[in-house]
Amino acid sequence: MMEWTDRHCRFFHRLLTRRALIYTEMITTGAVLHGDRARLLAYDAAEHPVALQLGGSDPRALAQCARIAADLGYDEINLNVGCPSDRVQEGRFGACLMAEPALVGDCVAAMKASVRVPVTVKCRIGIDDQDPEAALDALAHAVNAAGVDALIVHARKAWLAGLSPRENRDIPPLDYDRVYRLKAAHPALAVVLNGGIVDLDQAAAHLARLDGVMMGRAAYQEPWRLLTVDPALFGAGAPFASPKVAAEALMPYLERELLRGTRLHAVTRHILGLFRGVPGARAFRRHLATEAVKPGAGIAAFRAALALVVDTDGQMAHTAAA
Ligand SMILES: Cc1cc2nc3c(=O)[nH]c(=O)nc-3n(C[C@H](O)[C@H](O)[C@H](O)COP(=O)(O)O)c2cc1C
């Protein structure tokens, strides 16, 4: 998620779930080809499985970027057909590609031809005055014919004229039934649902009818939920007995990053929502908000914040160690 997630966030989330697939924020083909590639595509080996999301609409550039990412070890390449920002519309990619299914098919075909890892697409159910029945079917048909490995559908339209990107994540109504109908019409296509999924009960209900679910804001704002993903959805042990133990496991990473010159806040900003309903959660957030942002803030600030949280160790069932 642009502006929110980065490699630090992914490393932290990977501590909380070993099984869920993690996606980068969208990175444009222009940035990969002409920007600071090493920084933009950097990730830690611990993040696997990790997918790179690309923004673009030139099949050759996308194929080139997909190859670069696959060579770097990314486990999946995803094409963004859902971002509604003005910048993206000017570049003729993101959600406006919902109006150009044949071009999206060409993009997928080019990417598929250049890599062995899965190539997926993330789209909306339509844009502006498109009929979601026809628009989503046309897109699904095009990408399916091109060999796409999965279609992730943010189950609402994007209204490109008149709404801000933020409004476009809330105001157009969610239509899960449209995504269920898509799956029914294309049983062989892996269909993943995104949009408004806030807890794992909801996720499990969708999984009974679809091939996958993607959580965005809930995962970021309430990362404690990720600690139950492995037991609840994958039948595996939770990586840690409690959010506090998971936070302690982040220490070596923090120390490493601080030595590399990363500011403490760059990592800890992703952790603020880790404790919910845990005594000391607010004090933890407040301490980090004031101390971790100070120039030169070190690991001691994180330790001190963590010391304010009561450990709920043992309250979570099904840990990996159990
Ligand atoms: C700050 C922010 C940045 C986002 N950036 C991206 C992005 O780079 N690529 C993308 O596919 N979706 C992006 N999204 C959309 C989310 O991936 C997701 O589709 C949307 O928030 C709906 O899912 P949710 O209700 O689970 O959050 C972003 C969302 C937010 C809040």
Side-chain angles (χ1 to χ4, degrees):
M1 293 188 281
M2 284 185 290
E3 313 281 329
W4 285 18
T5 62
D6 57 17
R7 67 187 175 86
H8 305 308
C9 179
R10 295 194 303 268
F11 186 93
F12 166 55
H13 283 187
R14 178 55 73 217
L15 285 179
L16 303 172
T17 164
R18 291 189 183 136
R19 300 294 189 92
L21 176 59
I22 295 179
Y23 286 77
T24 70
E25 67 283 7
M26 180 179 73
I27 302 179
T28 64
T29 51
V32 172
L33 295 177
H34 310 298
D36 184 355
R37 187 184 301 167
R39 183 182 59 80
L40 289 169
L41 299 186
Y43 71 94
D44 191 286
E47 288 173 37
H48 289 295
V50 58
L52 176 73
Q53 186 184 65
L54 290 171
S57 60
D58 173 17
R60 277 182 51 193
L62 283 164
Q64 214 178 330
C65 292
R67 169 85 58 86
I68 290 167
D71 286 348
L72 286 171
Y74 277 94
D75 299 291
E76 174 183 315
I77 315 296
N78 176 265
L79 176 64
N80 184 312
V81 184
C83 180
S85 85
D86 289 346
R87 196 171 60 85
V88 159
Q89 287 181 56
E90 281 161 25
R92 196 175 155 222
F93 55 90
C96 58
L97 288 176
M98 289 298 299
E100 301 193 66
L103 175 58
V104 179
D106 290 346
C107 292
V108 170
M111 293 161 82
K112 285 289 295 179
S114 74
V115 297
R116 290 212 183 120
V117 293
V119 172
T120 61
V121 168
K122 178 163 178 268
C123 69
R124 300 274 185 146
I125 59 173
I127 48 170
D128 297 326
D129 56 4
Q130 279 185 326
D131 170 10
E133 298 302 319
L136 187 57
D137 264 339
L139 189 88
H141 192 268
V143 297
N144 207 10
V148 82
D149 292 284
L151 184 59
I152 304 162
V153 188
H154 181 178
R156 56 164 57 90
K157 274 185 157 184
W159 294 335
L160 299 181
L163 291 189
S164 70
R166 189 194 177 121
E167 289 169 329
N168 259 314
R169 292 194 283 264
D170 281 317
I171 293 179
L174 285 163
D175 186 352
Y176 294 145
D177 285 338
R178 177 63 193 95
V179 183
Y180 295 155
R181 285 197 297 280
L182 177 77
K183 177 65 189 174
H186 300 268
L189 174 66
V191 175
V192 177
L193 179 76
N194 166 246
I197 301 169
V198 294
D199 63 42
L200 297 189
D201 286 344
Q202 291 180 9
H206 292 304
L207 283 171
R209 307 179 64 165
L210 298 166
D211 302 285
V213 291
M214 172 189 266
M215 286 173 81
R217 289 165 291 187
Y220 186 83
Q221 290 165 335
E222 305 193 326
W224 56 272
R225 293 185 184 281
L226 296 177
L227 208 44
T228 53
V229 164
D230 291 359
L233 301 183
F234 292 94
F240 296 99
S242 71
K244 184 163 181 177
V245 181
E248 280 160 1
L250 192 63
M251 295 287 186
Y253 179 80
L254 271 172
E255 278 169 350
R256 233 168 37 233
E257 286 296 324
L258 288 166
L259 278 175
R260 292 176 63 182
T262 303
R263 292 188 60 181
L264 183 67
H265 176 67
V267 183
T268 57
R269 73 189 184 98
H270 302 299
I271 304 169
L272 299 176
L274 180 59
F275 301 105
R276 215 205 41 185
V278 177
R282 185 182 296 182
F284 170 80
R285 281 198 305 274
R286 211 180 290 146
H287 192 84
L288 284 183
T290 53
E291 300 304 317
V293 292
K294 290 184 177 163
I299 196 95
F302 186 63
R303 274 191 217 286
L306 213 48
L308 298 166
V309 179
V310 173
D311 197 357
T312 53
D313 192 0
Q315 287 181 18
M316 285 191 50
H318 315 301
T319 65

